[in-house]
Amino acid sequence: MGMKRATTLAAAAVAVVLAASACGPSDYSASDAAQPAGAAAPAANGPGNQPGGQLAASTTEQLGPVLTDSAGLTLYRFDKDTAKPPKSNCEGDCAKTWPVVAAGDVTAAAGMDPSLLGEVVRGDGTKQLTVAGWPVYRFNKDAKPGDLKGQGVGGVWFAFAPDGKKAAKGAPAEAAPAPAASAAPGEGAPAYPAEAAPGLSVAKDPKLGDHIVDGKGMTVYRFKKDSAWPMVSNCVGDCVAKWPVVPPVDKANAKGITEKNYLVLDRPDGKKQQTVDCWPVYTFSGDKKPGDTNGQGVGGTWYAVSPDGKLITVQ
C-alpha cells in the first residue's frame, strides 16, 4: 500500500513538472540529432577575409581557452599592431599569409563581453574586426578547426584568449574579475577559474562542433534511454555514479543555449536535474579535464548535446 502511494505521489510530481512546462509530443517529431560538425568546415585552400560569425571559446591543451570563428578556426593578434588606438600594420604579403577577419556579422562567444568587439578601418578602406582594440586575423596554414599553426610565429603572432589577451594557460584567471566565480566557494562549490563561472555554455570541439559544457568546461551529455515526453531520467543507481546529473542552472547563467523548455526535473532519488529542451543532462566521470569527450558514443546511448538540446551523434 505504501509503495502504491509513493508511486502515485511520484507520478503526481512528474505531472506537475510537465504541466508547468511546454513539453509535448509535437516538440519532438523532428530529427533529434544535430548536423555533423564537419558540415561547415572551411575549404582546403585556407581561410579568406570572411567575417567571424558566431565566435566561440575553444579549450585547447596547449593554451587553454582560445577564441575561434564560426568555422572553428583560431583567431590571432599581431604584436606590431596597436590597440589604443586600434591600427593594423599587416598589409600586402603579410595580409595574404594572415587574412584579416572582416568586421560585421559577428557575435561574441558565450561568456565573452560583447563590448570587446569593435572594428578598425584599414589603409585600403576596408573594415576589420577588433577584439579589445586588437585587429583580428586568421592564419592561412590553419586548415581545420583546432589548428594552432600560427601560434608564436616570428615571436609576434599569438592566438586570442576570449578576453582579447594572448591565449596562455592560466592567463584568463589573472585577467578578470568574475563575481560569479568569486561567489562560488561561499556556496560550497569548488573555486572555478575566472573564465569558468558556474553555469552552462557552449564550447567548440574539432570533431563534435558546438556542444554544451558545464561551468568547469566539462562536456555535457544526454542518455538515449531518457525521454522528454514525459520528462523522465532512466539513469538511476550505479548509472548516476558514473554519469552525474547536471544540477539546476539559472537561465541567466546558461550562455548560448536554447531557452525552449529549459526546465528542472525532480528525480525519484530526490535530486534536482537540469534539462535542455526537456532532456535531462549529465556529465561523465570518465572525463578528467575540460575538453575531454570520453563519454561520446558510450554504449551507443550516450552523446554530447548541441546548443539546441539535440544529440551530437558524430564519432
Side-chain angles (χ1 to χ4, degrees):
M1 185 72 177
M3 182 176 294
K4 183 176 180 181
R5 175 177 171 78
T7 302
T8 302
L9 289 174
V14 170
V16 169
V17 172
L18 293 176
S21 76
C23 301
S26 61
D27 290 319
Y28 306 101
S29 57
S31 169
D32 187 41
Q35 292 298 313
N45 59 355
N49 291 8
Q50 309 98 316
Q54 174 63 63
L55 305 185
S58 296
T59 301
T60 67
E61 285 289 334
Q62 180 181 347
L63 299 173
V66 166
L67 197 61
T68 62
D69 67 9
S70 59
L73 294 174
T74 303
L75 301 179
Y76 297 91
R77 46 178 278 182
F78 183 33
D79 272 0
K80 294 185 179 180
D81 289 346
T82 60
K84 297 180 180 180
K87 186 178 188 304
S88 169
N89 289 305
C90 179
E91 306 281 353
D93 289 342
C94 173
K96 293 177 182 177
T97 302
W98 300 91
V100 308
V101 177
D105 187 23
V106 64
T107 305
M112 178 184 180
D113 183 354
S115 68
L116 293 175
L117 302 179
E119 60 183 43
V120 62
V121 178
R122 295 174 52 80
D124 60 5
T126 60
K127 292 183 178 180
Q128 181 175 4
L129 175 67
T130 62
V131 174
W134 291 97
V136 183
Y137 307 82
R138 300 178 180 92
F139 184 45
N140 69 0
K141 292 185 179 178
D142 283 351
K144 64 184 186 300
D147 279 354
L148 282 165
K149 295 177 182 177
Q151 175 65 14
V153 168
V156 291
W157 290 95
F158 299 95
F160 269 105
D163 61 0
K165 298 180 183 294
K166 298 174 185 178
K169 279 196 171 178
E174 296 169 4
S182 61
E187 297 167 2
Y192 298 108
E195 77 278 10
L200 296 175
S201 60
V202 179
K204 186 179 286 290
D205 179 85
K207 292 182 180 178
L208 303 182
D210 288 342
H211 65 290
I212 299 175
V213 296
D214 73 6
K216 292 182 275 189
M218 306 303 288
T219 301
V220 168
Y221 299 90
R222 271 182 44 193
F223 186 31
K224 287 187 75 174
K225 294 183 180 180
D226 288 349
S227 79
W229 178 256
M231 194 164 65
V232 173
S233 166
N234 287 305
C235 179
V236 296
D238 291 343
C239 174
V240 175
K242 191 171 183 179
W243 299 90
V245 306
V246 173
V249 175
D250 189 274
K251 190 179 291 186
N253 292 326
K255 307 297 185 183
I257 296 166
T258 182
E259 293 185 4
K260 176 187 175 187
N261 299 330
Y262 186 85
L263 303 165
V264 174
L265 173 66
D266 289 318
R267 296 170 50 86
D269 57 9
K271 296 178 186 289
K272 292 185 180 293
Q273 183 172 12
Q274 184 61 53
T275 73
V276 177
D277 197 15
C278 291
W279 291 100
V281 290
Y282 311 78
T283 53
F284 179 43
S285 62
D287 286 345
K288 302 303 183 186
K289 62 184 184 302
D292 280 354
T293 56
N294 298 321
Q296 178 67 5
V298 167
T301 55
W302 290 93
Y303 295 95
V305 187
S306 69
D308 59 1
K310 294 184 181 296
L311 295 172
I312 300 173
T313 55
V314 64
Q315 295 297 313

